[in-house]
Structures are given as structure tokens and as C-alpha cells.
Amino acid sequence: MLLFPKENINDKNYLKICPSGELLDRKGRLVKFDDSDYIYEVAIFKVDGKLYCVNNHCPHQNAPEICNGIVKGTFVTCPLHGWTYNLVDGSNAQPNRGLKRLSNFDIIEHNGWIYIEIPNIPIPKWRR
């Protein structure tokens, strides 16, 4: 598991993920966090120069595939079953399919690097 260096930027704690140039427009990138008890995955995207970070697990069937999703505008579609989510706020773009949404995380570009605010990793109900 990769360990990411921590940095304080504008009074917030971030993890230094990768050089900005490594992100391709409209292509997701998987990032895994390991708290030694539970592995949590996020997907990061760059769309027309804007950055987004969301939970990598599609709420439909908990498949870790959002990073491989198809991006159109600010929406990402899970490649397994076609559920679509807004990258801006994580909302389900097809509410007739349910109200489940993706979690969002603060992501910035600073000095040529991509940073994610240290996420509060939720512990699944089955691990409590």
C-alpha cells in the first residue's frame, strides 16, 4: 500500500498524491488509503482542468469501479451497470434508480502536485 506524505496547506491537512501531469483529462485514477484496519478507495478525475475526488465504490452494488467510469461533462457512469453520478456533489443523476450517492473529498492542485484533504475514512457497519 502506498503511503502519501502529509502537508499542511492553508491550515488544512492534505495528502500529496501525484504530480499534476500524471492525471489525464476525463480518465479516473484510483487512490487507496489503508488505516491498517480497513482499506478505502477514492477515484480522482480532472475534467477540463477542474479536479474531483469521490468514493471509488459504486453505491449500487459496492463495486470498486468508479475510477474506470465513463466521464461526460461532470458526470461519471459506472462501467458495470450504468449508474451515473455527478462528480461535483456525488449525487445520483438517475434518482429513479435510488438516492444513494458518492462521497466527495476536497482535492486541490498546489505547486504542480495533486493533494487530497485527509479523508475521514468511514468504518463500515460490518466492522463496528
Side-chain angles (χ1 to χ4, degrees):
M1 192 63 47
L2 294 175
L3 297 177
F4 301 100
K6 296 178 184 178
E7 290 192 28
N8 188 288
I9 302 169
N10 299 327
D11 296 323
K12 285 187 176 181
N13 292 317
Y14 287 90
L15 297 174
K16 189 176 188 178
I17 303 299
C18 66
S20 301
E22 289 186 7
L23 287 184
L24 301 176
D25 198 51
R26 302 185 194 297
K27 296 289 183 189
R29 178 174 178 144
L30 175 65
V31 179
K32 291 184 180 185
F33 300 101
D34 184 356
D35 74 352
S36 298
D37 188 42
Y38 180 66
I39 296 173
Y40 193 73
E41 298 179 357
V42 298
I44 58 177
F45 296 90
K46 183 188 252 184
V47 180
D48 298 329
K50 179 101 172 96
L51 298 170
Y52 302 95
C53 181
V54 294
N55 179 355
N56 188 49
H57 287 255
C58 179
H60 170 231
Q61 290 189 351
N62 201 32
E65 290 294 327
I66 295 299
C67 65
N68 297 316
I70 300 157
V71 177
K72 290 184 182 174
T74 59
F75 294 89
V76 61
T77 300
C78 179
L80 292 183
H81 301 109
W83 284 48
T84 301
Y85 302 93
N86 190 329
L87 290 170
V88 175
D89 63 7
S91 63
N92 186 337
Q94 301 150 314
N96 60 324
R97 289 185 159 187
L99 299 176
K100 293 183 179 179
R101 61 188 308 120
L102 297 174
S103 300
N104 288 73
F105 302 93
D106 189 25
I107 183 170
I108 63 170
E109 185 173 1
H110 180 73
N111 293 334
W113 286 82
I114 301 297
Y115 291 85
I116 299 174
E117 188 172 11
I118 296 176
N120 180 12
I121 298 174
I123 299 172
K125 291 178 183 176
W126 56 268
R127 294 289 273 177
R128 293 181 196 164

